[in-house]
Amino acid sequence: MSPTLFSFIRSTASLSTLSSASTGATVAPSTLRAMSSGTRRHDPRARDPRQAPRYREDVSEAVRVLVVDDEALVRHALRAFLSDDDRVRLVGEATDGSKVIEACEATKPDVVLMDIKMPEVGGVEATRRILEWNPCCRVIALTTFTTEWRAIEVLRSGACGYLVKNSTPAQIIEAIVAAHAGDRVVSPEVQERFVRAAIEAGADRGSDAPALSDRERQIIELIAKGRSNAEIADELHYAESTVKADIRHINRLWDVENRLQIVLRATELGIITL
């Protein structure tokens, strides 16, 4: 099983402490990469074609990534994760939101991984500054907070994604690639909180919603389980292009824009339950 960012940070801290105590040396990047994956590979999940990351075919060049986090161990772990996949390239790091524009101007990132809580300028304000600098830049919050109001706050500031720091390397990298391709990415834990909030609010938008085909209902159920387009296509024995077309049709029918909104709407209509 792949380590999460948290478990990797803990193991890195332990090894760093032991190494410093014995030799005064720091852990080499090659050692960190070996800890995270064993050996360098192109795709963290390439051994199973059914689990191939979404949007891979849409990326012709490595996605340029800037990491913004005040914790050195987090930056260290992300540096090791990102160096292990050639779909992404770490181009820079910043230790606080106050330094983010300077870093962006120097590195020209496609995607920014943004911590929320930092000493001087937090992630919400830093996200606003990035999008004023370049509206095309994609920002993904990477944080310890799982409450839906935190996610709503940063998503309203313009971020396209919200990940928690117990995500695995594969989940983080796939989110980066998906965000760069134009998708909105939200950790399953936070997505579940959104759905439960909708249920508790008793939202009811009527029973006269446009009819869905059986296949579209199956696709919605699998989206709610966190399946990618490729995984849905494999499970239902359809071409991935057919799955994408059905999702676009659902978006038009329900006037929604992304997977999270599909799940919320399906919950409101009673099509799926948790």
CSV table of all heavy atoms in Angstrom, one decimal, residues 134 137 157 180 195:
chain,number,residue,atom,x,y,z
A,134,ASN,N,-2.4,35.6,-12.4
A,134,ASN,CA,-2.6,34.8,-13.6
A,134,ASN,C,-3.9,33.9,-13.4
A,134,ASN,O,-3.9,32.9,-12.8
A,134,ASN,CB,-1.4,33.8,-13.9
A,134,ASN,CG,-1.7,33.0,-15.1
A,134,ASN,OD1,-2.6,33.1,-15.9
A,134,ASN,ND2,-0.7,32.0,-15.4
A,137,CYS,N,-3.8,30.0,-13.8
A,137,CYS,CA,-3.0,29.2,-12.9
A,137,CYS,C,-4.1,28.4,-12.1
A,137,CYS,O,-5.1,28.9,-11.7
A,137,CYS,CB,-2.1,30.0,-12.0
A,137,CYS,SG,-1.0,29.0,-11.0
A,157,SER,N,-12.4,31.2,-3.0
A,157,SER,CA,-11.3,32.2,-3.3
A,157,SER,C,-10.8,31.9,-4.7
A,157,SER,O,-10.0,32.7,-5.2
A,157,SER,CB,-10.2,32.0,-2.3
A,157,SER,OG,-9.5,30.8,-2.4
A,180,HIS,N,-4.9,20.4,-13.9
A,180,HIS,CA,-4.2,21.0,-15.0
A,180,HIS,C,-5.1,20.8,-16.3
A,180,HIS,O,-5.1,21.7,-17.2
A,180,HIS,CB,-2.8,20.5,-15.2
A,180,HIS,CG,-2.1,21.1,-16.4
A,180,HIS,ND1,-1.9,22.5,-16.5
A,180,HIS,CD2,-1.5,20.5,-17.5
A,180,HIS,CE1,-1.2,22.7,-17.6
A,180,HIS,NE2,-1.0,21.6,-18.2
A,195,VAL,N,-21.7,16.1,0.9
A,195,VAL,CA,-22.9,15.4,0.6
A,195,VAL,C,-23.8,15.3,1.9
A,195,VAL,O,-25.0,15.5,1.8
A,195,VAL,CB,-22.6,14.0,0.1
A,195,VAL,CG1,-23.8,13.1,0.0
A,195,VAL,CG2,-21.9,14.1,-1.3
